[in-house]
Amino acid sequence: MPDTSPLITAGGHMRLKIAMPVIAATAALTAGGLTVTPASAAPAAPAASTQAKATCQTWSDGVTAGVSCNTSRKYYAWAKCRNGSTVYGARKKNRKWSYAYCSSVGSSVSTYGYRWV
């Protein structure tokens, strides 16, 4: 009866008696100039729960709103001012601060946040 126990044990160790023939066959094919990748070895996209998430820090002093995010993706701050205007900060990335100034329209911050570019 063939051995049907898992390739990876509960302790996270690979079972060599199954893995070694696979490794040897792959090495022989690669040495001969042929590379074969089984479908099970194809890289899969990471699950949403394992993808790195950018974290952002927001700030306001009442007349200015700011944001800084730890990502290479561009973002900017926005603020809705009490006089009805909406102001926007410069596009930034990599933990740089983007500031939206309600003071530039003679008002103060009502709500604020950030958007990705």
Side-chain angles (χ1 to χ4, degrees):
M1 177 172 221
D3 185 3
T4 59
S5 55
L7 182 61
I8 305 295
T9 66
H13 300 288
M14 183 177 283
R15 297 184 64 236
L16 292 180
K17 68 181 182 180
I18 293 174
M20 288 309 290
V22 173
I23 293 169
T26 303
L29 289 173
T30 303
L34 177 62
T35 303
V36 177
T37 304
S40 63
S49 62
T50 62
Q51 291 178 355
K53 298 202 188 311
T55 57
C56 298
Q57 179 180 0
T58 57
W59 168 88
S60 178
D61 66 358
V63 292
T64 302
V67 63
S68 173
C69 301
N70 69 339
T71 180
S72 60
R73 185 176 174 189
K74 288 189 176 184
Y75 52 87
Y76 62 91
W78 62 267
K80 181 78 172 172
C81 307
R82 295 200 187 279
N83 68 0
S85 298
T86 302
V87 293
Y88 303 94
R91 294 176 179 188
K92 300 289 182 173
K93 62 181 182 176
N94 297 326
R95 299 179 192 242
K96 303 283 193 242
W97 282 90
S98 173
Y99 296 102
Y101 297 95
C102 284
S103 58
S104 69
V105 293
S107 189
S108 58
V109 175
S110 174
T111 59
Y112 63 94
Y114 61 91
R115 290 200 181 103
W116 301 106
V117 176

